[in-house]
C-alpha cells in the first residue's frame, strides 16, 4: 500500500475516533474497554497505528524498489 493511500484512508478513521471520544464522559476507561473488547474499534485503531508507522518510518535508502531495479 502506498504511503499516501494509507494516510488518506487513516484520516477519516482518525476523525471518527476523535468524534466518538468527545461523546463519552470517561475517555481513558471507555477507550480501554473498546480496544480490549475487540471488533471494529480495535481494527480501526490498529489500522490508524499502522498507517502512522508506515507514513513516519523512513525507507531504507530513500529509493523505491522500481527505481532501484533500473540502476
Amino acid at each position: 500500500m502506498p504511503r499516501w493511500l494509507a494516510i488518506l484512508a487513516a484520516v477519516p478513521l482518525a476523525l471518527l475516533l476523535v468524534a466518538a471520544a468527545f461523546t463519552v464522559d470517561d475517555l481513558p476507561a471507555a477507550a480501554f474497554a473498546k480496544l480490549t473488547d475487540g471488533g471494529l474499534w480495535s481494527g480501526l485503531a490498529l489500522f490508524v497505528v499502522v498507517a502512522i508507522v508506515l507514513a513516519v518510518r523512513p525507507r531504507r535508502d530513500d529509493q523505491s524498489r522500481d527505481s532501484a531495479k533500473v540502476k
Side-chain angles (χ1 to χ4, degrees), residues 1-3 7 12 15 21-24 27 34 39 41 43 45 48-49 52 55-56 60 62 65 67 69:
M1 174 183 284
R3 290 181 184 196
I7 294 169
L15 292 176
F22 286 120
T23 62
V24 296
L27 178 61
K34 289 286 186 185
W41 289 106
V48 169
V49 168
I52 291 170
V56 174
R60 210 175 320 168
D62 288 329
R65 290 184 209 146
S67 66
K69 290 178 184 177

Side-chain angles (χ1 to χ4, degrees), residues 56-71:
V56 174
R57 183 180 56 108
R59 293 193 179 187
R60 210 175 320 168
D61 58 355
D62 288 329
Q63 283 186 334
S64 66
R65 290 184 209 146
D66 295 332
S67 66
K69 290 178 184 177
V70 173
K71 291 183 180 179

Side-chain angles (χ1 to χ4, degrees), residues 44-54:
L44 289 175
L46 180 65
F47 183 81
V48 169
V49 168
V50 168
I52 291 170
V53 167
L54 285 176

Side-chain angles (χ1 to χ4, degrees), residues 1-44:
M1 174 183 284
R3 290 181 184 196
W4 62 268
L5 183 59
I7 294 169
L8 187 66
V11 168
L13 296 176
L15 292 176
L16 176 68
L17 290 172
V18 169
F22 286 120
T23 62
V24 296
D25 295 330
D26 188 16
L27 178 61
F32 183 75
K34 289 286 186 185
L35 292 176
T36 56
D37 188 33
L40 177 66
W41 289 106
S42 297
L44 289 175

